[in-house]
Amino acid sequence: MVNKMITNTTPETELERLFQAKIDAEQKIEPKDWMPDAYRQNLIRQMSQHAHSEVIGMQPEGNWITRAPSLRRKAVLLSKVQDEAGHGLYLYSATETLGISRAEMITALQTGTAKYASIFNYPTQTWGDMGAIGWLVDGAAICNQVSLQRTSYGPYARSMIRICKEESFHQRQGYQIMIELAHGTPAQKAMAQDSLNRFYWPSLMMFGPHDSESAHSARSMKWKIKRETNDDLRQKFIDQTVSQINYLGLEHPDKALEWNEERGHYNSGDIDWDEFYSVINGNGHCNRQRIQHHVKAHEDGIWVREATAAYNLKKEQRLARDAA
Ligand code: BYC
C-alpha cells in the first residue's frame, strides 16, 4: 500500500509523486483523496460527457417505443431506455463527488460546452435501427466500458461495473432483433442490412479519434483514467463484429476489410473523420433537435424539482422543530 501521511504542508511535487505512485500500485483514488487539479478536471470532462451520452442516448430509441412491433418488444425497449436514464444518474452522482453540481453539468450540455457521444446525432429511421443500436452501439460501449471498470477513480470504476452488466443485456436484445430480421422475409433482411450499413461506421467513431490525434489520451493513460487507447478498443470491436455479421448472413459494410495474419487483427477501411468532426462540432443530422428536446424536458420538469426542494425544506423544518 502507498500510504504515506499527507499533511497541509506536504509540497505539491511530493503530493503528485505520491498520487502517481498510488495509481501505479493500482490503488483507487477516492473523492476525499488529494488529486492534481488537471486529473479532477479531466475526469469531470469525461464522466459528465459519459453521463450526457447516456441521457441523450435515450432519444433515438425513445422514438420507437410507441412503434415497437409487439407488446413484448415495447416492454423490452421501454426498460432498456429506462436503464440508460439510470446509467446517466449513477454517472452524474459519481461526477458530483468531484465537486461539480448537476445543474452546472446540465448547463454545460445545453449550452454546447460539453459534448456527448456523436452516435446519438444520427436519426433512427426503421425498427432495424433498434437492433443495430443495441448490437453495435451498446456493443461498442461495452468494449470501452469493460476497460473503464479498472479506471483509477473509485466511484467511476464502481459505476462501470453495474452499467456493464446492464449493457450486456442491451447488446443481446439488439442482436436478437437483428437475428430475427436477418433471417426473416427479404424485406426484413434488407432492413437489417440497411441499419447495419448506416450504424457501422458511426459506431467505430464512438471510440474517438486515432491515438495520434487524441488530445487527452496520453495523460488519461498515465493516470489510468483510460486503460486502453481509442485505437486498441476500436480494433477489438472491429475484430469481434466480423463473425457476428457473418452469422447474420449480412454483407460487411467495410469493403476494405481484410484479415492480417501478421498482426492477428483485421485491417479496415478509412473512417470518414470529416463526418466525425462535423458531428461533434454540432452539425450532425440531429444535434439541434437532441438539445432542444433536452431543454424542453428539463423546463417541463421544473415543477418536479421545485416540489422536491419544497418537500426537503419542510422535512428539515420538521426535524429541527422535533429536535428543539
Ligand atoms: N463523440 O482526446 P480524445 C451508451 C471528443 S453511451 C463525441 O480522444 P478522450 C448508450 C472528446 O470528448 C456510452 N465526442 O478524448 C447510451 C474530446 O473533446 P473535448 C458513451 C467525442 O476523452 C444510450 C475530443 O473529441 N460512452 O452506451 O480521451 C443508448 C478529443 O478526443 C467522441 C462513453 O462516454 C465521440 N465519439 O476519449 C445506447 C465512454 N470521441 O472533451 C448506448 C467514456 C471523442 O476535449 N468516454 N470525442 O471537448 C471515453 O471513454 C472517452 O471520453 C472517449 C474519448 C473514448 C469517448
Side-chain angles (χ1 to χ4, degrees), residues 201-254:
W201 293 103
S203 299
L204 299 190
M205 295 176 196
M206 284 178 73
F207 296 93
H210 282 312
D211 296 346
S212 53
E213 306 294 317
S214 166
H216 304 289
S217 275
R219 232 165 27 164
S220 293
M221 293 292 289
K222 178 174 171 243
W223 283 331
K224 298 189 181 176
I225 291 176
K226 281 163 87 166
R227 304 302 308 247
E228 287 177 83
T229 71
N230 297 1
D231 283 329
D232 286 349
L233 289 169
R234 182 170 19 245
Q235 183 71 59
K236 255 189 202 169
F237 178 74
I238 290 170
D239 291 347
Q240 80 183 26
T241 307
V242 174
S243 58
Q244 295 169 348
I245 295 177
N246 285 343
Y247 182 76
L248 293 174
L250 298 178
E251 267 182 47
H252 202 295
D254 183 353

Short mmCIF file of all heavy atoms in Angstrom, two decimals, residues 201-254:
data_model
loop_
_atom_site.label_atom_id
_atom_site.label_comp_id
_atom_site.label_asym_id
_atom_site.label_seq_id
_atom_site.Cartn_x
_atom_site.Cartn_y
_atom_site.Cartn_z
N TRP A 201 -20.27 2.52 -39.37
CA TRP A 201 -19.16 3.50 -39.30
C TRP A 201 -19.30 4.46 -38.13
O TRP A 201 -18.32 4.70 -37.40
CB TRP A 201 -19.04 4.25 -40.65
CG TRP A 201 -18.60 3.33 -41.75
CD1 TRP A 201 -19.39 2.81 -42.73
CD2 TRP A 201 -17.28 2.80 -41.97
NE1 TRP A 201 -18.63 2.00 -43.55
CE2 TRP A 201 -17.34 1.99 -43.11
CE3 TRP A 201 -16.07 2.95 -41.32
CZ2 TRP A 201 -16.24 1.31 -43.62
CZ3 TRP A 201 -14.96 2.29 -41.82
CH2 TRP A 201 -15.05 1.48 -42.94
N PRO A 202 -20.51 5.00 -37.86
CA PRO A 202 -20.64 5.86 -36.68
C PRO A 202 -20.29 5.11 -35.37
O PRO A 202 -19.81 5.71 -34.42
CB PRO A 202 -22.11 6.29 -36.70
CG PRO A 202 -22.47 6.24 -38.15
CD PRO A 202 -21.73 5.04 -38.69
N SER A 203 -20.52 3.76 -35.35
CA SER A 203 -20.15 3.01 -34.13
C SER A 203 -18.63 3.00 -33.96
O SER A 203 -18.12 3.10 -32.84
CB SER A 203 -20.64 1.57 -34.20
OG SER A 203 -22.04 1.55 -34.29
N LEU A 204 -17.90 2.90 -35.07
CA LEU A 204 -16.43 2.93 -34.96
C LEU A 204 -15.96 4.30 -34.45
O LEU A 204 -14.94 4.40 -33.76
CB LEU A 204 -15.76 2.65 -36.31
CG LEU A 204 -16.03 1.29 -36.96
CD1 LEU A 204 -15.08 1.09 -38.16
CD2 LEU A 204 -15.84 0.15 -35.98
N MET A 205 -16.72 5.35 -34.80
CA MET A 205 -16.34 6.71 -34.37
C MET A 205 -16.55 6.89 -32.86
O MET A 205 -15.99 7.81 -32.27
CB MET A 205 -17.16 7.76 -35.12
CG MET A 205 -16.89 7.79 -36.61
SD MET A 205 -17.99 8.97 -37.43
CE MET A 205 -17.82 8.46 -39.15
N MET A 206 -17.38 6.04 -32.25
CA MET A 206 -17.62 6.17 -30.80
C MET A 206 -16.33 6.07 -29.99
O MET A 206 -16.25 6.56 -28.87
CB MET A 206 -18.58 5.07 -30.31
CG MET A 206 -20.02 5.31 -30.67
SD MET A 206 -21.04 3.95 -30.11
CE MET A 206 -21.09 4.21 -28.34
N PHE A 207 -15.31 5.39 -30.56
CA PHE A 207 -14.06 5.21 -29.82
C PHE A 207 -13.16 6.45 -29.85
O PHE A 207 -12.10 6.44 -29.26
CB PHE A 207 -13.31 3.98 -30.35
CG PHE A 207 -14.07 2.71 -30.13
CD1 PHE A 207 -14.91 2.20 -31.11
CD2 PHE A 207 -13.99 2.05 -28.91
CE1 PHE A 207 -15.65 1.04 -30.90
CE2 PHE A 207 -14.73 0.89 -28.68
CZ PHE A 207 -15.56 0.38 -29.69
N GLY A 208 -13.61 7.48 -30.57
CA GLY A 208 -12.85 8.73 -30.61
C GLY A 208 -11.81 8.73 -31.71
O GLY A 208 -11.66 7.76 -32.45
N PRO A 209 -11.08 9.86 -31.85
CA PRO A 209 -10.11 9.99 -32.94
C PRO A 209 -8.97 8.99 -32.80
O PRO A 209 -8.81 8.37 -31.75
CB PRO A 209 -9.58 11.42 -32.76
CG PRO A 209 -9.93 11.82 -31.38
CD PRO A 209 -11.13 11.03 -30.97
N HIS A 210 -8.18 8.84 -33.87
CA HIS A 210 -6.99 7.97 -33.78
C HIS A 210 -6.11 8.44 -32.62
O HIS A 210 -6.08 9.64 -32.30
CB HIS A 210 -6.18 8.04 -35.07
CG HIS A 210 -6.78 7.21 -36.17
ND1 HIS A 210 -7.18 5.90 -35.98
CD2 HIS A 210 -7.03 7.48 -37.48
CE1 HIS A 210 -7.67 5.43 -37.12
NE2 HIS A 210 -7.60 6.36 -38.04
N ASP A 211 -5.35 7.52 -32.05
CA ASP A 211 -4.50 7.86 -30.89
C ASP A 211 -3.59 9.05 -31.20
O ASP A 211 -3.35 9.90 -30.33
CB ASP A 211 -3.63 6.65 -30.50
CG ASP A 211 -4.48 5.48 -30.02
OD1 ASP A 211 -5.69 5.70 -29.76
OD2 ASP A 211 -3.95 4.36 -29.95
N SER A 212 -3.11 9.10 -32.44
CA SER A 212 -2.19 10.19 -32.81
C SER A 212 -2.89 11.56 -32.77
O SER A 212 -2.25 12.59 -32.65
CB SER A 212 -1.64 9.94 -34.21
OG SER A 212 -2.72 9.75 -35.10
N GLU A 213 -4.23 11.55 -32.85
CA GLU A 213 -4.99 12.82 -32.86
C GLU A 213 -5.71 13.07 -31.53
O GLU A 213 -6.38 14.08 -31.38
CB GLU A 213 -6.09 12.78 -33.95
CG GLU A 213 -5.62 12.42 -35.35
CD GLU A 213 -4.72 13.50 -35.90
OE1 GLU A 213 -5.03 14.69 -35.72
OE2 GLU A 213 -3.67 13.15 -36.49
N SER A 214 -5.60 12.12 -30.61
CA SER A 214 -6.39 12.20 -29.38
C SER A 214 -5.73 13.14 -28.36
O SER A 214 -4.64 12.86 -27.86
CB SER A 214 -6.55 10.79 -28.80
OG SER A 214 -7.01 10.86 -27.48
N ALA A 215 -6.43 14.24 -28.07
CA ALA A 215 -5.85 15.28 -27.21
C ALA A 215 -5.61 14.79 -25.78
O ALA A 215 -4.63 15.18 -25.14
CB ALA A 215 -6.80 16.49 -27.18
N HIS A 216 -6.50 13.96 -25.28
CA HIS A 216 -6.45 13.63 -23.84
C HIS A 216 -5.82 12.29 -23.52
O HIS A 216 -5.55 12.00 -22.35
CB HIS A 216 -7.88 13.64 -23.28
CG HIS A 216 -8.59 14.93 -23.50
ND1 HIS A 216 -8.26 16.09 -22.83
CD2 HIS A 216 -9.61 15.27 -24.33
CE1 HIS A 216 -9.05 17.07 -23.24
NE2 HIS A 216 -9.88 16.60 -24.15
N SER A 217 -5.61 11.44 -24.56
CA SER A 217 -5.24 10.05 -24.27
C SER A 217 -3.97 9.89 -23.45
O SER A 217 -3.95 9.12 -22.49
CB SER A 217 -5.09 9.25 -25.57
OG SER A 217 -6.35 8.78 -25.96
N ALA A 218 -2.90 10.61 -23.82
CA ALA A 218 -1.60 10.36 -23.17
C ALA A 218 -1.73 10.56 -21.66
O ALA A 218 -1.35 9.69 -20.86
CB ALA A 218 -0.53 11.26 -23.76
N ARG A 219 -2.31 11.68 -21.26
CA ARG A 219 -2.44 11.96 -19.84
C ARG A 219 -3.43 11.00 -19.16
O ARG A 219 -3.19 10.53 -18.05
CB ARG A 219 -2.88 13.41 -19.63
CG ARG A 219 -1.95 14.07 -18.67
CD ARG A 219 -1.97 15.51 -18.55
NE ARG A 219 -3.23 16.15 -18.88
CZ ARG A 219 -3.50 17.40 -18.53
NH1 ARG A 219 -2.61 18.09 -17.86
NH2 ARG A 219 -4.63 17.96 -18.86
N SER A 220 -4.52 10.72 -19.87
CA SER A 220 -5.52 9.82 -19.28
C SER A 220 -4.96 8.41 -19.10
O SER A 220 -5.34 7.71 -18.17
CB SER A 220 -6.77 9.76 -20.16
OG SER A 220 -7.42 11.00 -20.14
N MET A 221 -4.06 7.99 -20.00
CA MET A 221 -3.45 6.66 -19.86
C MET A 221 -2.45 6.68 -18.68
O MET A 221 -2.39 5.73 -17.91
CB MET A 221 -2.72 6.25 -21.15
CG MET A 221 -3.62 6.02 -22.34
SD MET A 221 -4.68 4.56 -22.18
CE MET A 221 -3.49 3.25 -22.35
N LYS A 222 -1.69 7.76 -18.55
CA LYS A 222 -0.72 7.85 -17.45
C LYS A 222 -1.44 7.80 -16.10
O LYS A 222 -0.99 7.13 -15.17
CB LYS A 222 0.06 9.16 -17.60
CG LYS A 222 1.05 9.40 -16.50
CD LYS A 222 1.91 10.63 -16.75
CE LYS A 222 2.75 10.96 -15.52
NZ LYS A 222 2.44 12.25 -14.94
N TRP A 223 -2.57 8.46 -16.03
CA TRP A 223 -3.33 8.49 -14.77
C TRP A 223 -4.29 7.31 -14.67
O TRP A 223 -5.11 7.25 -13.74
CB TRP A 223 -4.13 9.79 -14.70
CG TRP A 223 -3.31 10.99 -14.34
CD1 TRP A 223 -2.18 11.01 -13.57
CD2 TRP A 223 -3.59 12.35 -14.69
NE1 TRP A 223 -1.72 12.30 -13.44
CE2 TRP A 223 -2.57 13.15 -14.11
CE3 TRP A 223 -4.58 12.98 -15.44
CZ2 TRP A 223 -2.53 14.54 -14.26
CZ3 TRP A 223 -4.54 14.36 -15.58
CH2 TRP A 223 -3.53 15.12 -14.99
N LYS A 224 -4.26 6.43 -15.66
CA LYS A 224 -5.13 5.24 -15.68
C LYS A 224 -6.62 5.60 -15.59
O LYS A 224 -7.42 4.83 -15.06
CB LYS A 224 -4.72 4.23 -14.60
CG LYS A 224 -3.30 3.72 -14.83
CD LYS A 224 -2.93 2.57 -13.94
CE LYS A 224 -1.48 2.16 -14.25
NZ LYS A 224 -0.95 1.13 -13.39
N ILE A 225 -6.95 6.80 -16.09
CA ILE A 225 -8.39 7.10 -16.26
C ILE A 225 -8.85 6.22 -17.42
O ILE A 225 -9.85 5.53 -17.33
CB ILE A 225 -8.59 8.61 -16.57
CG1 ILE A 225 -8.26 9.46 -15.35
CG2 ILE A 225 -10.03 8.85 -17.04
CD1 ILE A 225 -8.32 10.96 -15.59
N LYS A 226 -8.06 6.23 -18.51
CA LYS A 226 -8.31 5.30 -19.61
C LYS A 226 -7.31 4.16 -19.48
O LYS A 226 -6.14 4.40 -19.19
CB LYS A 226 -8.11 6.02 -20.95
CG LYS A 226 -9.29 6.89 -21.36
CD LYS A 226 -8.93 7.88 -22.42
CE LYS A 226 -9.06 7.33 -23.81
NZ LYS A 226 -9.03 8.43 -24.83
N ARG A 227 -7.78 2.92 -19.70
CA ARG A 227 -6.89 1.78 -19.55
C ARG A 227 -6.45 1.23 -20.90
O ARG A 227 -5.51 0.44 -20.98
CB ARG A 227 -7.57 0.67 -18.73
CG ARG A 227 -8.05 1.09 -17.36
CD ARG A 227 -6.96 1.65 -16.48
NE ARG A 227 -5.80 0.81 -16.35
CZ ARG A 227 -5.39 0.18 -15.24
NH1 ARG A 227 -6.08 0.32 -14.13
NH2 ARG A 227 -4.29 -0.53 -15.23
N GLU A 228 -7.15 1.56 -21.96
CA GLU A 228 -6.76 1.14 -23.30
C GLU A 228 -7.01 2.31 -24.23
O GLU A 228 -7.89 3.14 -23.98
CB GLU A 228 -7.59 -0.07 -23.75
CG GLU A 228 -7.17 -1.35 -23.03
CD GLU A 228 -8.05 -2.52 -23.41
OE1 GLU A 228 -7.80 -3.15 -24.44
OE2 GLU A 228 -9.00 -2.79 -22.65
N THR A 229 -6.23 2.36 -25.30
CA THR A 229 -6.33 3.55 -26.17
C THR A 229 -7.54 3.44 -27.10
O THR A 229 -8.10 2.36 -27.29
CB THR A 229 -5.07 3.72 -27.03
OG1 THR A 229 -5.05 2.69 -28.02
CG2 THR A 229 -3.80 3.68 -26.19
N ASN A 230 -7.87 4.57 -27.71
CA ASN A 230 -9.02 4.62 -28.64
C ASN A 230 -8.84 3.57 -29.76
O ASN A 230 -9.77 2.82 -30.07
CB ASN A 230 -9.13 6.00 -29.29
CG ASN A 230 -9.39 7.12 -28.28
OD1 ASN A 230 -9.48 6.87 -27.09
ND2 ASN A 230 -9.50 8.35 -28.77
N ASP A 231 -7.65 3.53 -30.35
CA ASP A 231 -7.44 2.62 -31.49
C ASP A 231 -7.45 1.15 -31.05
O ASP A 231 -7.98 0.30 -31.78
CB ASP A 231 -6.11 2.93 -32.19
CG ASP A 231 -6.23 4.19 -33.07
OD1 ASP A 231 -7.33 4.44 -33.60
OD2 ASP A 231 -5.23 4.91 -33.22
N ASP A 232 -6.90 0.85 -29.88
CA ASP A 232 -6.90 -0.55 -29.43
C ASP A 232 -8.32 -1.05 -29.17
O ASP A 232 -8.67 -2.18 -29.51
CB ASP A 232 -6.05 -0.71 -28.16
CG ASP A 232 -4.55 -0.62 -28.47
OD1 ASP A 232 -4.20 -0.66 -29.67
OD2 ASP A 232 -3.74 -0.50 -27.53
N LEU A 233 -9.12 -0.19 -28.55
CA LEU A 233 -10.50 -0.60 -28.27
C LEU A 233 -11.30 -0.73 -29.56
O LEU A 233 -12.08 -1.67 -29.73
CB LEU A 233 -11.18 0.41 -27.33
CG LEU A 233 -10.66 0.40 -25.89
CD1 LEU A 233 -11.18 1.60 -25.12
CD2 LEU A 233 -11.09 -0.89 -25.18
N ARG A 234 -11.05 0.20 -30.49
CA ARG A 234 -11.78 0.14 -31.78
C ARG A 234 -11.42 -1.15 -32.51
O ARG A 234 -12.27 -1.82 -33.08
CB ARG A 234 -11.41 1.36 -32.63
CG ARG A 234 -12.15 1.41 -33.96
CD ARG A 234 -11.99 2.74 -34.71
NE ARG A 234 -10.87 3.54 -34.30
CZ ARG A 234 -10.98 4.73 -33.72
NH1 ARG A 234 -12.15 5.25 -33.51
NH2 ARG A 234 -9.90 5.41 -33.36
N GLN A 235 -10.13 -1.54 -32.45
CA GLN A 235 -9.70 -2.77 -33.13
C GLN A 235 -10.41 -3.99 -32.53
O GLN A 235 -10.86 -4.88 -33.26
CB GLN A 235 -8.18 -2.92 -32.99
CG GLN A 235 -7.61 -4.12 -33.72
CD GLN A 235 -7.64 -3.95 -35.24
OE1 GLN A 235 -7.05 -3.03 -35.76
NE2 GLN A 235 -8.32 -4.84 -35.94
N LYS A 236 -10.53 -4.01 -31.21
CA LYS A 236 -11.24 -5.12 -30.55
C LYS A 236 -12.65 -5.23 -31.10
O LYS A 236 -13.15 -6.32 -31.39
CB LYS A 236 -11.36 -4.83 -29.04
CG LYS A 236 -10.42 -5.61 -28.20
CD LYS A 236 -10.73 -5.43 -26.73
CE LYS A 236 -9.45 -5.78 -25.96
NZ LYS A 236 -9.49 -5.42 -24.57
N PHE A 237 -13.30 -4.10 -31.20
CA PHE A 237 -14.69 -4.07 -31.67
C PHE A 237 -14.78 -4.52 -33.13
O PHE A 237 -15.65 -5.31 -33.49
CB PHE A 237 -15.25 -2.65 -31.49
CG PHE A 237 -16.66 -2.49 -31.98
CD1 PHE A 237 -17.72 -3.01 -31.26
CD2 PHE A 237 -16.93 -1.83 -33.17
CE1 PHE A 237 -19.04 -2.86 -31.71
CE2 PHE A 237 -18.23 -1.68 -33.63
CZ PHE A 237 -19.29 -2.20 -32.90
N ILE A 238 -13.86 -4.04 -33.96
CA ILE A 238 -13.86 -4.43 -35.37
C ILE A 238 -13.71 -5.96 -35.47
O ILE A 238 -14.45 -6.63 -36.18
CB ILE A 238 -12.71 -3.72 -36.14
CG1 ILE A 238 -13.03 -2.22 -36.26
CG2 ILE A 238 -12.48 -4.35 -37.52
CD1 ILE A 238 -11.88 -1.36 -36.78
N ASP A 239 -12.75 -6.49 -34.72
CA ASP A 239 -12.48 -7.94 -34.79
C ASP A 239 -13.69 -8.76 -34.34
O ASP A 239 -14.05 -9.75 -34.98
CB ASP A 239 -11.26 -8.29 -33.92
CG ASP A 239 -9.95 -7.74 -34.50
OD1 ASP A 239 -9.94 -7.31 -35.67
OD2 ASP A 239 -8.93 -7.73 -33.77
N GLN A 240 -14.31 -8.35 -33.25
CA GLN A 240 -15.41 -9.17 -32.71
C GLN A 240 -16.67 -9.08 -33.57
O GLN A 240 -17.50 -9.99 -33.57
CB GLN A 240 -15.72 -8.80 -31.25
CG GLN A 240 -16.57 -7.57 -31.09
CD GLN A 240 -16.80 -7.18 -29.63
OE1 GLN A 240 -15.99 -7.48 -28.75
NE2 GLN A 240 -17.90 -6.52 -29.36
N THR A 241 -16.80 -7.99 -34.32
CA THR A 241 -18.03 -7.78 -35.08
C THR A 241 -18.08 -8.61 -36.37
O THR A 241 -19.16 -8.94 -36.87
CB THR A 241 -18.20 -6.27 -35.39
OG1 THR A 241 -18.11 -5.56 -34.15
CG2 THR A 241 -19.53 -5.94 -36.01
N VAL A 242 -16.90 -9.00 -36.88
CA VAL A 242 -16.86 -9.72 -38.17
C VAL A 242 -17.67 -11.02 -38.11
O VAL A 242 -18.55 -11.26 -38.95
CB VAL A 242 -15.40 -10.01 -38.58
CG1 VAL A 242 -15.36 -10.87 -39.84
CG2 VAL A 242 -14.65 -8.70 -38.81
N SER A 243 -17.43 -11.84 -37.08
CA SER A 243 -18.14 -13.12 -37.03
C SER A 243 -19.64 -12.90 -36.74
O SER A 243 -20.49 -13.69 -37.16
CB SER A 243 -17.52 -14.05 -35.98
OG SER A 243 -17.56 -13.41 -34.75
N GLN A 244 -19.95 -11.81 -36.04
CA GLN A 244 -21.37 -11.53 -35.76
C GLN A 244 -22.11 -11.18 -37.06
O GLN A 244 -23.25 -11.58 -37.28
CB GLN A 244 -21.50 -10.39 -34.75
CG GLN A 244 -20.92 -10.77 -33.38
CD GLN A 244 -20.77 -9.58 -32.43
OE1 GLN A 244 -20.89 -8.43 -32.85
NE2 GLN A 244 -20.50 -9.87 -31.18
N ILE A 245 -21.43 -10.43 -37.93
CA ILE A 245 -22.05 -10.07 -39.22
C ILE A 245 -22.19 -11.34 -40.07
O ILE A 245 -23.23 -11.57 -40.70
CB ILE A 245 -21.20 -8.99 -39.96
CG1 ILE A 245 -21.21 -7.69 -39.16
CG2 ILE A 245 -21.73 -8.77 -41.39
CD1 ILE A 245 -20.36 -6.56 -39.73
N ASN A 246 -21.18 -12.19 -40.05
CA ASN A 246 -21.24 -13.45 -40.81
C ASN A 246 -22.41 -14.29 -40.37
O ASN A 246 -23.15 -14.84 -41.18
CB ASN A 246 -19.95 -14.27 -40.62
CG ASN A 246 -18.82 -13.67 -41.43
OD1 ASN A 246 -19.05 -12.87 -42.34
ND2 ASN A 246 -17.59 -14.03 -41.08
N TYR A 247 -22.58 -14.40 -39.04
CA TYR A 247 -23.65 -15.24 -38.51
C TYR A 247 -25.02 -14.74 -38.97
O TYR A 247 -25.94 -15.51 -39.23
CB TYR A 247 -23.58 -15.29 -36.98
CG TYR A 247 -24.64 -16.17 -36.38
CD1 TYR A 247 -24.51 -17.57 -36.42
CD2 TYR A 247 -25.79 -15.63 -35.79
CE1 TYR A 247 -25.51 -18.38 -35.89
CE2 TYR A 247 -26.78 -16.43 -35.27
CZ TYR A 247 -26.63 -17.82 -35.32
OH TYR A 247 -27.61 -18.62 -34.80
N LEU A 248 -25.13 -13.41 -39.10
CA LEU A 248 -26.41 -12.84 -39.56
C LEU A 248 -26.61 -13.06 -41.05
O LEU A 248 -27.71 -12.88 -41.57
CB LEU A 248 -26.45 -11.33 -39.26
CG LEU A 248 -26.50 -10.93 -37.78
CD1 LEU A 248 -26.37 -9.42 -37.64
CD2 LEU A 248 -27.79 -11.41 -37.12
N GLY A 249 -25.53 -13.42 -41.75
CA GLY A 249 -25.63 -13.59 -43.20
C GLY A 249 -25.76 -12.25 -43.92
O GLY A 249 -26.29 -12.18 -45.03
N LEU A 250 -25.24 -11.19 -43.29
CA LEU A 250 -25.30 -9.86 -43.92
C LEU A 250 -23.94 -9.53 -44.53
O LEU A 250 -22.93 -10.16 -44.22
CB LEU A 250 -25.70 -8.81 -42.88
CG LEU A 250 -27.08 -9.00 -42.23
CD1 LEU A 250 -27.34 -7.92 -41.18
CD2 LEU A 250 -28.20 -8.97 -43.28
N GLU A 251 -23.97 -8.50 -45.39
CA GLU A 251 -22.71 -8.08 -46.02
C GLU A 251 -21.99 -7.10 -45.11
O GLU A 251 -22.61 -6.20 -44.54
CB GLU A 251 -23.02 -7.34 -47.32
CG GLU A 251 -23.00 -8.24 -48.52
CD GLU A 251 -23.27 -7.44 -49.78
OE1 GLU A 251 -22.65 -6.36 -49.95
OE2 GLU A 251 -24.12 -7.89 -50.55
N HIS A 252 -20.66 -7.25 -45.04
CA HIS A 252 -19.90 -6.31 -44.20
C HIS A 252 -19.84 -4.95 -44.89
O HIS A 252 -19.51 -4.88 -46.07
CB HIS A 252 -18.49 -6.84 -43.95
CG HIS A 252 -17.88 -6.24 -42.73
ND1 HIS A 252 -17.59 -4.90 -42.64
CD2 HIS A 252 -17.56 -6.77 -41.53
CE1 HIS A 252 -17.10 -4.64 -41.43
NE2 HIS A 252 -17.07 -5.76 -40.74
N PRO A 253 -20.15 -3.85 -44.15
CA PRO A 253 -20.15 -2.53 -44.79
C PRO A 253 -18.76 -2.06 -45.20
O PRO A 253 -18.64 -1.16 -46.03
CB PRO A 253 -20.71 -1.59 -43.72
CG PRO A 253 -21.31 -2.47 -42.68
CD PRO A 253 -20.62 -3.80 -42.76
N ASP A 254 -17.72 -2.66 -44.61
CA ASP A 254 -16.36 -2.21 -44.94
C ASP A 254 -15.78 -3.09 -46.04
O ASP A 254 -15.36 -4.23 -45.78
CB ASP A 254 -15.50 -2.29 -43.66
CG ASP A 254 -14.08 -1.78 -43.89
OD1 ASP A 254 -13.74 -1.49 -45.06
OD2 ASP A 254 -13.34 -1.69 -42.90
#
